[in-house]
Amino acid sequence: MDGSKEMGGLRNVSSVCSISEMDDFDLSRLLNKPKLNIERKRSFDERSLSELSIGLARGLDTYETTHSPGGRSGFGTPASSTRNSFEPHPMVADAWEALRRSMVYFRGQPVGTIAAYDHASEEVLNYDQVFVRDFVPSALAFLMNGEPDIVKHFLLKTLYLQGWEKRVDRFKLGEGVMPASFKVLHDPIRKTDSLVADFGESAIGRVAPVDSGFWWIILLRAYTKSTGDLSLAETPECQKGMRLILTLCLSEGFDTFPTLLCADGCSMIDRRMGIYGYPIEIQALFFMALRSASSLLKHDEEGKEFIERIVKRLHALSYHMRSYFWLDFQQLNDIYRYKTEEYSHTAVNKFNVIPDSIPDWVFDFMPTRGGYFIGNVSPARMDFRWFALGNCIAILSSLATHEQEMAIMDLIEARWEELVGEMPLKIAYPAIESHEWRIVTGCDPKNTRWSYHNGGSWPVLLWLLTAACIKTGRPQIARKAIDLAETRLLKDSWPEYYDGKVGRYIGKQARKYQTWSIAGYLVAKMMLEDPSHLGMISLEEDRQMKPMLKRSSSWTC
């Protein structure tokens, strides 16, 4: 841990991004752009920030192969260039102090952050472990603050754990499965450290994490983009690790869809919540991981084979998701008028969805302008619920078209009270209640209505919302959400989640000092302050995958 901390942990450092192809983007114009007009107060000049974020989002994305000598990128974007030009919120120093308290060390090296530092809780469970998905916002915060070592050590340690033999009872898991979490065991007598990993065999429900491998690839790309250091991704170990993950998710079987079939509990929603099938969160992360891997894989014999498979899958996956998962006013009206029992290739209602299965709430929820990717699509089933993580990742990965990105942001603005309320951000909307809750969740006492995964509000999602806002040129939405969070988070001791229709109450079983609530806030603040950070986590649309889709009225009005 660095003892010389300034401003509660923020150091005056540089954050850099690698760019090799600019694709009609005039880099000189970006470099000559006037700096943000930021006064000595917490409000931003939204117009200048919006213009800068759009330019950066379009230009910073093309990674991908060259960097200047010494492992640093040739494109310097000082992370702290504007940091001292306004008064930081007092929460920032507290957040950095809390984040550093959560750091975990293995043989003297920092390797991650524990899930929560809540000593008031009687049950520790696995909140004292380093979770792959939970560490992502922590990793981004450290990268943005010029501290990449902890991220590098985390990537290597989880890669090492991937190589372990994984068994649940007498069944052996796939070789490429990444752990959900790991714990460092310190032996004070022998003065040794050892690792214990959980691949799902100890998890509630005994479900292996599908998302861990995807987050690992996405974080490897973020590390490479931030540092300009290609050497880590190019090691034989990292190349093999990516190929093992890809082998699992690109395997051929009985599927007729390019989406990934998953069990309940395989992602951030790690309990039974009716997301079995093809959940939007996994499909969006799958898409983003494929695109990230295609930029990181070497163009050797093995790498080229996987890149070819990735390209084919991306074309099919983007078409499928943009066509069948997308919902706006026009599409809802079309589904409402669907005919059923259609046979042959000319069928319009390809999944035989019964119009009477459309829930009543969605008719009032859907604005005239706006749209979103629904939760799930499979035979005779459409889960119309809104899921925040999947829609934000769809924007950041460019799974969503430009028009769809704008429509998602329109929906968030139009349904602010429902999706944001008093604490950003609803993980899912609406909550499942009464008899449906009993059937879908198995009477889960933690996922009662408007709590936890069942319509709870999760502060960690603030960083994803902010990133999506910057990419779409709407920083004012992120500013509004951050202002809301700053009224409560520190005072409430950084809870894991909030309960209630508008997120008014601290979650009934929420841990305090939840690390990703802390890190999510820091990432949102730093990203809004310096939008160039978006480059490490955002991907621009691949021009080869431009869709030939009929645009609905909500995209053009």
Side-chain angles (χ1 to χ4, degrees):
M1 192 181 303
D2 190 346
S4 58
K5 290 179 285 184
E6 299 177 13
M7 294 171 53
L10 288 169
R11 299 187 304 176
N12 194 12
V13 296
S14 293
S15 173
V16 291
C17 301
S18 294
I19 300 180
S20 59
E21 304 170 22
M22 298 313 293
D23 291 337
D24 302 326
F25 179 75
D26 189 347
L27 181 59
S28 62
R29 280 190 296 167
L30 175 62
L31 295 175
N32 293 328
K33 229 182 212 311
K35 290 189 176 180
L36 296 180
N37 178 21
I38 302 177
E39 300 174 0
R40 292 185 63 84
K41 57 183 180 182
R42 284 190 289 128
S43 62
F44 285 78
D45 182 336
E46 292 172 354
R47 181 168 174 266
S48 65
L49 180 55
S50 174
E51 291 172 353
L52 179 60
S53 67
I54 293 170
L56 286 163
R58 289 176 180 165
L60 289 183
D61 178 58
T62 18
Y63 166 59
E64 302 264 23
T65 52
T66 62
H67 61 286
S68 58
R72 305 298 293 179
S73 166
F75 180 45
T77 54
S80 305
S81 59
T82 59
R83 197 167 276 154
N84 298 320
S85 62
F86 72 101
E87 293 295 334
H89 195 280
M91 272 176 60
V92 172
D94 288 275
W96 272 109
E97 183 180 346
L99 181 61
R100 295 191 186 283
R101 254 201 326 265
S102 72
M103 290 172 68
V104 174
Y105 292 82
F106 179 79
R107 296 174 185 172
Q109 294 181 331
V111 293
T113 52
I114 59 172
Y117 200 79
D118 187 1
H119 290 305
S121 176
E122 295 178 1
E123 286 186 303
V124 176
L125 297 177
N126 54 0
Y127 282 84
D128 63 345
Q129 298 189 23
V130 180
F131 279 80
V132 172
R133 75 174 70 95
D134 290 43
F135 180 65
V136 171
S138 295
L140 295 177
F142 287 121
L143 287 174
M144 291 177 186
N145 200 42
E147 301 177 63
D149 285 351
I150 185 172
V151 182
K152 183 176 183 178
H153 296 150
F154 168 85
L155 289 166
L156 290 172
K157 283 293 170 284
T158 46
L159 185 64
Y160 164 72
L161 294 172
Q162 183 197 38
W164 286 15
E165 183 178 277
K166 301 167 275 285
R167 287 184 180 272
V168 177
D169 293 332
R170 299 182 180 183
F171 183 71
K172 185 178 178 181
L173 277 66
E175 194 179 356
V177 173
M178 280 285 184
S181 63
F182 66 87
K183 186 174 182 176
V184 178
L185 298 179
H186 301 284
D187 187 333
I189 298 175
R190 296 182 180 179
K191 296 183 179 180
T192 58
D193 291 346
S194 58
L195 295 173
V196 177
D198 177 15
F199 294 91
E201 72 273 21
S202 300
I204 294 173
R206 300 302 189 264
V207 179
V210 177
D211 62 338
S212 288
F214 298 152
W215 279 122
W216 187 88
I217 294 174
I218 292 165
L219 187 56
L220 178 61
R221 176 187 174 272
Y223 170 86
T224 308
K225 291 276 288 185
S226 174
T227 63
D229 178 13
L230 292 161
S231 61
L232 178 62
E234 290 181 346
T235 60
E237 293 78 14
C238 281
Q239 292 290 309
K240 181 184 177 182
M242 282 189 284
R243 291 197 302 267
L244 288 174
I245 296 168
L246 295 170
T247 298
L248 276 179
C249 59
L250 293 175
S251 60
E252 296 174 347
F254 290 96
D255 295 305
T256 56
F257 315 135
T259 41
L260 207 58
L261 183 62
C262 300
D264 246 329
C266 66
S267 59
M268 179 181 174
I269 298 177
D270 59 2
R271 301 167 81 98
R272 181 177 162 190
M273 268 291 291
I275 65 165
Y276 59 86
Y278 305 92
I280 178 60
E281 177 178 335
I282 290 297
Q283 312 315 317
L285 285 171
F286 180 31
F287 184 87
M288 192 171 193
L290 289 179
R291 292 201 61 195
S292 298
S294 68
S295 70
L296 296 170
L297 285 168
K298 284 185 175 180
H299 287 254
D300 53 20
E301 188 174 342
E302 285 184 293
K304 283 182 179 179
E305 179 188 344
F306 275 97
I307 290 171
E308 288 174 5
R309 293 171 66 185
I310 286 171
V311 169
K312 289 178 183 177
R313 190 62 166 263
L314 284 173
H315 277 279
L317 184 59
S318 61
Y319 176 83
H320 184 92
M321 297 298 296
R322 292 165 177 175
S323 301
Y324 305 124
F325 274 68
W326 181 253
L327 188 73
D328 55 20
F329 183 83
Q330 182 61 52
Q331 182 66 8
L332 179 59
N333 204 80
D334 291 344
I335 297 170
Y336 177 66
R337 292 168 50 82
Y338 266 171
K339 294 178 182 179
T340 59
E341 307 300 324
E342 293 180 303
Y343 179 77
S344 86
H345 297 289
T346 60
V348 176
N349 185 2
K350 294 185 178 181
F351 297 94
N352 198 37
V353 174
I354 313 300
D356 286 347
S357 69
I358 303 174
D360 291 338
W361 66 264
V362 78
F363 292 104
D364 294 327
F365 178 73
M366 180 59 69
T368 305
R369 283 177 61 96
Y372 65 103
F373 288 98
I374 63 174
N376 222 313
V377 176
S378 57
R381 179 192 178 210
M382 296 183 81
D383 182 350
F384 289 91
R385 284 178 293 173
W386 150 274
F387 289 92
L389 195 153
N391 276 275
C392 288
I393 290 293
I395 290 175
L396 295 177
S397 65
S398 289
L399 171 59
T401 65
H402 175 72
E403 293 85 357
Q404 288 172 339
E405 290 176 359
M406 296 301 116
I408 292 170
M409 300 312 297
D410 287 342
L411 179 89
I412 292 172
E413 286 193 290
R415 296 292 175 256
W416 184 265
E417 191 68 14
E418 293 90 338
L419 301 180
V420 180
E422 295 186 19
M423 177 55 66
L425 180 66
K426 280 273 177 269
I427 189 173
Y429 181 89
I432 305 171
E433 304 185 60
S434 306
H435 181 64
E436 187 184 6
W437 165 77
R438 294 185 179 90
I439 298 295
V440 173
T441 75
C443 299
D444 188 343
K446 198 166 185 179
N447 273 333
T448 52
R449 64 176 187 167
W450 307 113
S451 180
Y452 204 47
H453 300 134
N454 191 12
S457 299
W458 291 69
V460 63
L461 297 171
L462 187 61
W463 81 264
L464 284 158
L465 175 64
T466 300
C469 289
I470 294 172
K471 189 178 182 212
T472 54
R474 306 207 192 172
Q476 70 278 6
I477 299 178
R479 177 73 270 162
K480 185 178 176 183
I482 291 172
D483 286 344
L484 272 175
E486 288 177 338
T487 64
R488 297 280 306 275
L489 276 179
L490 179 60
K491 183 175 67 176
D492 295 340
S493 301
W494 307 98
E496 179 184 14
Y497 63 94
Y498 285 78
D499 285 353
K501 274 194 173 182
V502 294
R504 182 173 294 175
Y505 305 99
I506 297 174
K508 58 186 176 183
Q509 294 186 44
R511 292 299 196 278
K512 298 292 185 69
Y513 293 97
Q514 185 79 15
T515 303
W516 68 357
S517 296
I518 297 163
Y521 166 73
L522 286 172
V523 171
K525 288 285 284 188
M526 287 190 283
M527 201 176 290
L528 194 58
E529 175 192 330
D530 183 356
S532 69
H533 289 312
L534 182 68
M536 72 174 74
I537 200 66
S538 176
L539 290 153
E540 277 306 291
E541 185 171 22
D542 187 337
R543 295 179 182 183
Q544 295 180 346
M545 287 193 295
K546 288 282 186 180
M548 296 298 293
L549 298 178
K550 181 181 178 182
R551 295 184 178 183
S552 69
S553 58
S554 73
W555 296 0
T556 53
C557 60

